[in-house]
Amino acid sequence: MSDGFPDLPQAPPIEGGIRPPKPSYEQFTRQAVFYLPVVRRGELLGYLWAAESNVKAAGFIRSIAARAAGADATSVWGRRLDTFHDRGTPALDAIRGWVGAPEDPVGGAVPPGTRERRVPSLAALHELANPGTPVSSGPLIQDGLYPDGTPVDRSAGWGPLVSVRPPSYATRTATPVLSYPVTRGGTVLGYVWASVSEDAASYLRRARADRDGEIAAGLWEARLADAFGAGVPAADAVRRLRGTPEDPLAGGIAADAQEHQATGLDELDRLARE
């Protein structure tokens, strides 16, 4: 059954294992975004947002200051946006559809008469909601484009596909390594690791995650390449990824994830094969 938006093929389900996530609006965009405040009993819970022209990108950014109330509201708005997505509703129309709706006891409401405002980027909205907190750069492909503006859709004029790994940390080391599990829906997809003493770091998929573990690699390797380009030492780069929000395909690293120390990559390889 179509979800209303033609898109890239979903990863096939793993028999007896994890399944691809339910189709929903894209959670990242490099475009400017329009946003609406969500309040409950006068308290700001967060912001609904939609990409300026990408009809498939929308979401809810919670206010950390609202504590548990903001976290609870996230689930409510996630379900509500999924409902509009399933109907094929363009992203901006989906958030406008909640202006003036009755206040939900958990999710709050967008006050009647509220007009959406515009900020130049999703990062700017994150800063408005939670000043000074780290923001994920998101997946390599957003709005159907690579970071340099190259379209994913070859019919849009893209030439032959050549895979070139961007400059990054060394992918092998003989030294001890630290790592964190990458999870999606409670299932481990792989591990992000770094040498304790050398400039080596990468992503190692978990064998039982199969295709899902492979798909996750692209985003984590891109994040490490960004850190390498910024001159961040490998171990620091990996430690900074702890608390990364869960991506629908690539997963995330829980804020309370425990750092695992291994004598070397061979030990981590054995763990990934279990």
Side-chain angles (χ1 to χ4, degrees):
M1 179 180 294
S2 172
D3 64 3
F5 297 121
D7 208 339
L8 296 175
Q10 294 289 323
I14 300 175
E15 185 175 351
I18 58 179
R19 297 292 185 270
K22 182 180 182 296
S24 61
Y25 291 111
E26 296 168 11
Q27 296 299 295
F28 290 92
T29 181
R30 294 189 181 96
Q31 298 182 2
V33 299
F34 290 99
Y35 69 93
L36 292 163
V38 174
V39 299
R40 189 185 69 180
R41 296 193 294 273
E43 179 186 21
L44 177 69
L45 299 183
Y47 297 99
L48 282 175
W49 64 268
E52 187 169 40
S53 59
N54 180 358
V55 299
K56 297 190 292 181
F60 176 79
I61 297 177
R62 73 180 180 94
S63 169
I64 295 175
R67 299 183 182 275
D72 293 341
T74 300
S75 298
V76 172
W77 290 105
R79 292 193 297 271
R80 287 178 164 184
L81 288 173
D82 283 348
T83 298
F84 273 85
H85 177 275
D86 292 345
R87 297 173 185 169
T89 307
L92 188 54
D93 291 341
I95 69 169
R96 286 171 173 165
W98 290 103
V99 176
E103 183 170 302
D104 182 86
V106 176
V110 179
T114 303
R115 297 291 297 273
E116 69 269 7
R117 294 187 177 182
R118 181 183 184 274
V119 287
S121 66
L122 195 55
L125 184 57
H126 272 281
E127 180 64 19
L128 179 64
N130 301 295
T133 58
V135 179
S136 170
S137 60
L140 185 66
I141 298 171
Q142 296 180 35
D143 311 308
L145 304 172
Y146 285 95
D148 64 358
T150 301
V152 175
D153 183 358
R154 291 191 175 193
S155 68
W158 136 304
L161 179 62
V162 178
S163 178
V164 179
R165 184 175 184 267
S168 192
Y169 306 100
T171 58
R172 300 300 298 178
T173 182
T175 67
V177 298
L178 61 90
S179 67
Y180 293 99
V182 172
T183 59
R184 189 186 71 193
T187 299
V188 176
L189 300 180
Y191 301 89
V192 176
W193 64 266
S195 165
V196 174
S197 58
E198 295 182 347
D199 234 16
S202 190
Y203 166 87
L204 178 65
R205 77 171 181 89
R206 183 184 178 215
R208 291 180 63 184
D210 199 32
R211 177 67 172 158
D212 291 86
E214 293 178 7
I215 291 172
L219 177 55
W220 294 104
E221 290 173 356
R223 286 169 171 164
L224 289 171
D226 287 344
F228 177 81
V232 180
D236 289 346
V238 169
R239 285 174 172 140
R240 291 180 187 182
L241 291 173
R242 184 167 59 176
T244 302
E246 190 168 297
D247 178 82
L249 288 179
I253 299 177
D256 60 353
Q258 296 297 305
E259 181 177 302
H260 176 74
Q261 296 274 348
T263 57
L265 277 179
D266 288 344
E267 181 181 334
L268 188 60
D269 281 334
R270 288 193 294 272
L271 177 64
R273 290 195 296 270
E274 291 179 356

